Amino acid sequence: MAAAKEGIVKRTGKFFREVKSEMRKVTWPTKSDLTTYTIVVFVSVIIVSGFIWITDTILYKLISLVLR
């Protein structure tokens, strides 16, 4: 109820102050951590996409054999 009585300018200012306060609490990764995480994501994507490709190929061949 009290928030409704505040103006939009005050609420917006309060929001950005709170965002700034929370961003100071964030622990940012180092460059080496970021590089490691990026490589892990790329390798994971390659593995999962390879698995999906192999599964799709096998299922396609099985279905084409059944439908002949």
Side-chain angles (χ1 to χ4, degrees):
M1 185 83 146
K5 291 184 180 182
E6 291 180 1
I8 191 163
V9 175
K10 284 187 177 184
R11 286 186 290 160
T12 303
K14 180 180 177 186
F15 171 77
F16 282 113
R17 281 191 302 278
E18 290 175 359
V19 168
K20 186 176 178 181
S21 171
E22 290 297 320
M23 291 301 284
R24 287 188 181 132
K25 298 176 187 177
V26 173
T27 304
W28 297 100
T30 63
K31 186 175 180 178
S32 65
D33 286 343
L34 193 59
T35 303
T36 302
Y37 299 154
T38 303
I39 291 170
V40 167
V41 168
F42 280 137
V43 170
S44 300
V45 167
I46 289 169
I47 290 170
V48 170
S49 61
F51 175 75
I52 292 172
W53 176 67
I54 290 169
T55 305
D56 182 55
T57 303
I58 291 170
L59 289 174
Y60 173 77
K61 292 191 186 258
L62 286 173
I63 290 173
S64 64
L65 285 173
V66 169
L67 293 178
R68 281 189 183 189

